[in-house]
Amino acid sequence: MNFNTDDEVRYLKGSVHLLLVGQSKGHISRVIEIFEPIHLDLFTSAEMLDQVTEFISSTNSYKGSYHISVIPSFTEYSLFSGISIIYSRYKSLKLSFPGIRIYFGITGGTNTMAVEMALSAVMVKEPMHYMVKAQGSKDTTDDVILFDSEELNRMIKNSTIGGGR
């Protein structure tokens, strides 16, 4: 992600992030590098809990607070449970960090976890981000794509797709 002014970079700093963590964890390090978050809320599966705990506690570049939640995966009700868990944590974070920008990361975890995170972000109209490999660059680091969930929410509500008004 390229920023044109110092103000744009400062806008990202000191934020709170809800992030998915599965086998890959590089996106977490990139979020720490780019956003310098004051708090991370990590969501993972029960099978990955020990690995995620070990990873975040050994990340020397991160000095903020964190919380880890387990999201059930691959059950009939996991989508509902995941959204409920994410939304509950979001509400708690809004109270704990008033006035701080909250981002929803949709990189990592399972496909259903990404859907749960994206739906939650759209529901509360907070921005999302996704990490992608830099295109056309020898740089091996990830770029960040930001999504405006508020705009997505308006688009959905105003959509005429499927016979809506």
Side-chain angles (χ1 to χ4, degrees):
M1 172 172 262
N2 296 320
F3 297 99
N4 297 322
T5 68
D6 288 340
D7 286 339
E8 289 174 321
V9 173
R10 268 194 297 278
Y11 178 72
L12 299 177
K13 307 295 183 191
S15 47
V16 170
H17 293 257
L18 290 86
L19 303 171
L20 302 170
V21 191
Q23 292 292 333
S24 64
K25 296 166 192 66
H27 63 288
I28 305 299
S29 298
R30 191 71 171 133
V31 165
I32 292 168
E33 177 187 341
I34 293 171
F35 292 91
E36 297 176 13
I38 59 172
H39 179 81
L40 298 176
D41 239 60
L42 307 172
F43 298 87
T44 193
S45 65
E47 299 79 19
M48 293 296 301
L49 182 59
D50 290 341
Q51 287 181 36
V52 172
T53 302
E54 182 180 324
F55 169 77
I56 194 63
S57 62
S58 69
T59 305
N60 295 328
S61 61
Y62 182 62
K63 305 298 181 210
S65 60
Y66 67 89
H67 179 269
I68 303 173
S69 296
V70 171
I71 294 182
S73 53
F74 309 119
T75 71
E76 181 180 356
Y77 300 103
S78 60
L79 194 66
F80 302 105
S81 298
I83 291 171
S84 178
I85 291 165
I86 293 167
Y87 180 70
S88 176
R89 286 299 305 156
Y90 169 77
K91 284 177 48 178
S92 176
L93 292 169
K94 285 297 275 187
L95 293 173
S96 297
F97 299 96
I100 301 295
R101 184 58 132 177
I102 298 178
Y103 290 91
F104 287 66
I106 57 173
T107 309
T110 65
N111 289 340
T112 55
M113 287 177 178
V115 168
E116 293 158 6
M117 188 67 80
L119 288 172
S120 297
V122 170
M123 185 172 69
V124 298
K125 301 176 186 169
E126 294 283 5
M128 290 181 279
H129 57 66
Y130 185 76
M131 301 291 173
V132 295
K133 291 290 179 200
Q135 297 295 314
S137 170
K138 294 177 183 161
D139 187 1
T140 59
T141 60
D142 294 333
D143 280 341
V144 179
I145 298 174
L146 290 174
F147 299 98
D148 182 346
S149 297
E150 196 167 352
E151 180 63 28
L152 287 169
N153 191 299
R154 276 193 299 274
M155 186 182 79
I156 292 166
K157 285 183 178 178
N158 296 326
S159 176
T160 57
I161 297 172
R165 295 176 196 234

